[in-house]
Amino acid sequence: MRTLLQLQYFAVIAVLFLSGCSQSLNAPVKYYQFEQSIKPMQRKSTDTAAQLRVSTVSLRGALNNRGIAMKMDNNQVNAANYHLWSEAPDQMLTASAHQTLFTELGNWMVIKGLPVITDKDQQSYYELEYELHHFNGDNQGNADISGLWRLYYTSFENGRSLKAIHYFSEVNPLIGDDYEGLVESLEQSWQNINQQVATTLSVLSHE
């Protein structure tokens, strides 16, 4: 009798396990992206005071995975299986940063990436690098973007030099208690960071 009960118990556990796996396998994959509106703008290099080149954003470890990251504790970050970014986070964040900086810095020529430009008049420029250590939600109901940015200046005469390093941390409550709310909160935090960067850059004396 005991053996029969044990077999029945394990059979129930197996059914529940297989049922859970089946539901997971049938779960629809949802894709997310930053919903940053694009404003029609144009700018000529001859009308600007400085050039800023925005490097591709660097994310540590698994944060650049398509699965949206959630921090479980101090030493564990999980990537979602069915809630994915629509593109690699580094590309999405770089495009968003470029758009915000281009909008905020009206007298700068802001360029995404590091194109080869041979015009001698454009050999002096600033270069912005982002390094993100956190880009995730957490188990306290927050969206967390933390890291640092570096600013370099390159001139034809003096070469490349490091001008500044700034650490930042944007940890804010989620706008909604789901992945959509997390994505919206991360986007707002990222815009805040880039607006702060723009404010810092706008007061620089152009060399």
Side-chain angles (χ1 to χ4, degrees):
M1 177 64 70
R2 179 176 298 179
T3 301
L4 179 60
L5 290 175
Q6 288 177 336
L7 290 174
Q8 290 176 336
Y9 172 78
F10 286 120
V12 170
I13 295 298
V15 169
L16 291 175
F17 176 77
L18 291 174
S19 175
C21 290
S22 176
Q23 290 178 359
S24 296
L25 291 173
N26 293 328
V29 176
K30 296 184 178 181
Y31 296 93
Y32 301 83
Q33 63 184 14
F34 284 177
E35 194 61 33
Q36 190 170 0
S37 59
I38 297 178
K39 300 177 182 179
M41 290 179 290
Q42 60 180 355
R43 195 168 300 161
K44 295 181 179 180
S45 60
T46 53
D47 299 330
T48 57
Q51 183 182 120
L52 176 66
R53 303 184 183 186
V54 183
S55 300
T56 301
V57 174
S58 172
L59 294 95
R60 293 183 60 184
L63 295 179
N64 200 39
N65 289 343
R66 295 280 297 280
I68 297 176
M70 182 69 67
K71 181 180 177 182
M72 308 309 294
D73 57 36
N74 290 336
N75 302 105
Q76 182 181 5
V77 176
N78 286 353
N81 291 323
Y82 299 99
H83 299 273
L84 309 180
W85 295 111
S86 63
E87 61 179 326
D90 59 348
Q91 299 299 318
M92 179 183 68
L93 289 164
T94 304
S96 176
H98 172 260
Q99 187 176 335
T100 300
L101 293 168
F102 190 93
T103 301
E104 297 293 328
L105 296 170
N107 63 335
W108 290 60
M109 178 57 73
V110 183
I111 302 172
K112 185 174 67 173
L114 300 174
V116 176
I117 299 176
T118 58
D119 187 339
K120 186 177 179 180
D121 292 337
Q122 296 190 39
Q123 297 307 304
S124 296
Y125 57 87
Y126 289 92
E127 180 185 341
L128 180 63
E129 289 183 348
Y130 284 106
E131 180 181 311
L132 297 190
H133 299 180
H134 299 161
F135 179 60
N136 53 264
D138 64 26
N139 56 11
Q140 303 298 317
N142 298 309
D144 181 0
I145 302 184
S146 302
L148 61 92
W149 58 268
R150 304 181 190 89
L151 184 69
Y152 300 89
Y153 182 74
T154 297
S155 66
F156 183 78
E157 297 80 12
N158 300 318
R160 186 173 186 245
S161 61
L162 176 65
K163 304 299 291 185
I165 297 178
H166 288 250
Y167 276 86
F168 57 84
S169 180
E170 283 274 335
V171 181
N172 298 307
L174 297 183
I175 294 174
D177 59 354
D178 54 11
Y179 276 96
E180 186 174 349
L182 172 57
V183 169
E184 190 175 349
S185 301
L186 288 171
E187 179 176 13
Q188 184 60 59
S189 295
W190 186 234
Q191 288 186 8
N192 291 342
I193 291 166
N194 283 283
Q195 287 169 351
Q196 293 166 11
V197 172
T199 299
T200 301
L201 297 184
S202 65
V203 299
L204 285 176
S205 58
H206 308 316
E207 301 183 35

